[in-house]
Amino acid sequence: MVSKHPLHLFIFLLFLPVWSSAKDTINNGFSIEVIHRDSPLSPFYNTSATPFHRFMEAAQRSLACSHSYRSSFASTSSIQSTVYPDIADHLMKFSIGTPPVQVLVVMDTGSDLVWSRCKPCVDCIGRSVPLFDPQQSSTYIELSCDSPQCKALDASACDKRPKCKYTYGYGDGSSTSGVLSTETLTFDTTDGGTFSIHDVAFGCGHNNSISFSDHLYGLAGLGRLSYSLISHLGPYIGGKFSYCFVPFQENTSTSIMSFGDQAVITGNDVVSTPLLGEDSGTFYYVLLEHISVGGMMLEVPPPKASGIGNMFIDSGTTVTLIDSKIFQQLKQALNGVVKLPPTTDPGKTFLCYNATSRDGFPTITFHFAGNADLVLQPLNAFTEPSPDGLVCLVMLPTDGMPIFGNTVQHNFHVSYDLVGKKVSFKPTQCSNVSK
């Protein structure tokens, strides 16, 4: 997503929050728990679904991310994200306001705005949905049209209105509308403590599409633009954050997201590749050079635009999308290695094989720029067998921008360094990461 607005640096400076935690918290970083939406800890949990069915349902939710939408930003009518808000796989908790009200939101590296349903709520009439009541918070402040934040987003959009109103749209046509405000956000850390940041600009949504889940307050955008949660935290965490996602079959465990020094990963098995497209919008772009399987090296097409990369990493997309021409080559290579007749899932979407385990299935290596060879084990690249004995590749072809989805990231500690402009990967048993 490429923004039309050149004021990102200026906006970033205006949106910096005030940090109120102890100095050692800033220096040492902190960690929080995140949960998969199909975890028993999630309100979406389906007790009757198998891991195979959970993957297929999640994959169908996330396939919309392969579409490309025109995007733009304006403070009253046209903030736009290319993602679908209600499909992301991971959820996070934090509290808003004083006294703090805990909220459950979608965690997504593919969008930027942090927002919550707020009272009064037009779309909530006749529905039982969680709401944040800003009138009960002593730290809630609505931003005016004269505020630097509002002017930086679109200096002419307010048309002398007293409040900085916004509409933020998503790729599926849904949206959230309300007042751009500031609040205190408080996080419960895995060490039993808390930390708070003040004056965080967020969307207090008073009129939101009814397609947003009744179980959730809103969404926490973790993208690269100046109004994302990561940008608010950036100066205080050194531009570093990481996550380690637990695989589907271990969904009784929470995953970990870390910030600052706790997000740094080390060891001989760490590989790193440059982050590209810093000025090209929300996404975390990388350069994929080759894919190899069974001794066959497949060359990946170069980026269509210089400096952007030819794939982006996304925590909110289940499947991995590969250039359609390369996918056909990968399919042929896998058929030669697996030695089983290829078939498809019942929905005729995925490449599958009749098998009762992933034993004997090959590793697939993604060769990123900077000699970052990421070896995907069968756990990452293929589904757990279905009750009917079906194992499927978790990748699909696309004619749009390829995406490195979250299933292939399971049991990898993925660390982003926005200052050093790199992303690193380390094979890790994520369920054992210190909580």
Side-chain angles (χ1 to χ4, degrees), residues 286-428:
V286 291
L287 179 61
L288 178 65
E289 296 178 336
H290 301 89
I291 298 174
S292 63
V293 59
M296 182 179 295
M297 186 75 75
L298 312 176
E299 186 172 352
V300 176
K304 295 180 180 179
S306 176
I308 292 182
N310 57 3
M311 172 174 271
F312 67 85
I313 305 172
D314 185 24
S315 69
T317 303
T318 304
V319 299
T320 288
L321 301 177
I322 300 173
D323 177 88
S324 56
K325 293 181 180 178
I326 300 305
F327 184 85
Q328 294 306 315
Q329 298 177 40
L330 175 63
K331 180 178 178 179
Q332 293 175 8
L334 285 172
N335 289 342
V337 175
V338 175
K339 306 296 185 183
L340 292 172
T343 184
T344 64
D345 65 290
K348 301 187 182 302
T349 302
F350 292 88
L351 169 65
C352 304
Y353 302 91
N354 289 309
T356 57
S357 78
R358 289 177 286 201
D359 294 344
F361 279 75
T363 61
I364 301 176
T365 302
F366 278 49
H367 303 269
F368 292 104
N371 297 316
D373 298 337
L374 200 62
V375 180
L376 304 180
Q377 300 298 326
L379 176 146
N380 302 100
F382 299 92
T383 64
E384 187 170 335
S386 73
D388 300 327
L390 205 61
V391 173
C392 302
L393 182 69
V394 301
M395 306 173 195
L396 290 172
T398 181
D399 292 324
M401 174 61 73
I403 300 174
F404 196 68
N406 64 52
T407 301
V408 294
Q409 299 178 58
H410 290 171
N411 276 352
F412 279 100
H413 203 155
V414 184
S415 177
Y416 298 77
D417 182 349
L418 305 187
V419 176
K421 298 180 181 180
K422 65 179 181 179
V423 59
S424 302
F425 302 86
K426 180 177 182 175
T428 305

